Amino acid sequence: VLSSGINAEYGALPFFFYLLGPRYKSWNGVWEIVKIGVTVILTFLVCWAPLISTAGDVLVRMFPFNRGLFEDKVANFWCSVSVVIKFKELFSRFILAKMSLFLTVLTVLPSCTII
């Protein structure tokens, strides 16, 4: 899920909690969580192995903060709100990136709590 693109990244956290939910209550579940974690990490490394030399370029493409928040799929919210609040004039790119992260986590959390 993590390597599938920007839209899939929104689903990665709820998917993680979906897998974690039935396993976190017992000691046997801890072993299952470790197995899932190792499997995810190894799969991620295998998928990213050919891209190690260009990992920076890939991450810049996946998270286009250098081009601003008005790019690709995330633009809907920022374009709508920028009519009233001029974010580009009020905040630096670094602060806007942090705001974007915070709002994304905030909107994903409700689906993570239903496990």
Side-chain angles (χ1 to χ4, degrees):
V1 173
L2 292 175
S3 297
S4 300
I6 193 74
N7 285 336
E9 291 159 6
Y10 292 117
L13 195 58
F15 189 72
F16 166 74
F17 280 101
Y18 172 77
L19 291 175
L20 177 68
R23 293 167 180 84
Y24 78 99
K25 293 182 180 178
S26 69
W27 282 104
N28 191 28
V30 172
W31 177 242
E32 289 183 34
I33 292 170
V34 169
K35 289 192 300 189
I36 291 170
V38 168
T39 303
V40 168
I41 291 169
L42 289 176
T43 304
F44 188 77
L45 290 174
V46 167
C47 289
W48 275 77
L51 304 171
I52 292 297
S53 62
T54 60
D57 295 335
V58 173
L59 291 174
V60 166
R61 182 70 182 131
M62 288 175 72
F63 303 103
F65 291 118
N66 291 337
R67 295 181 284 162
L69 292 173
F70 301 94
E71 293 287 330
D72 295 332
K73 312 316 185 265
V74 296
N76 296 334
F77 171 79
W78 296 107
C79 287
S80 300
V81 177
S82 71
V83 173
V84 179
I85 303 169
K86 304 297 181 194
F87 288 104
K88 289 169 98 174
E89 296 172 9
L90 295 174
F91 303 104
S92 68
R93 281 188 190 162
F94 181 73
I95 297 297
L96 288 173
K98 285 189 175 223
M99 287 172 58
S100 178
L101 173 65
F102 174 75
L103 289 173
T104 301
V105 169
L106 186 68
T107 57
V108 169
L109 278 180
S111 62
C112 296
T113 59
I114 304 171
I115 53 175

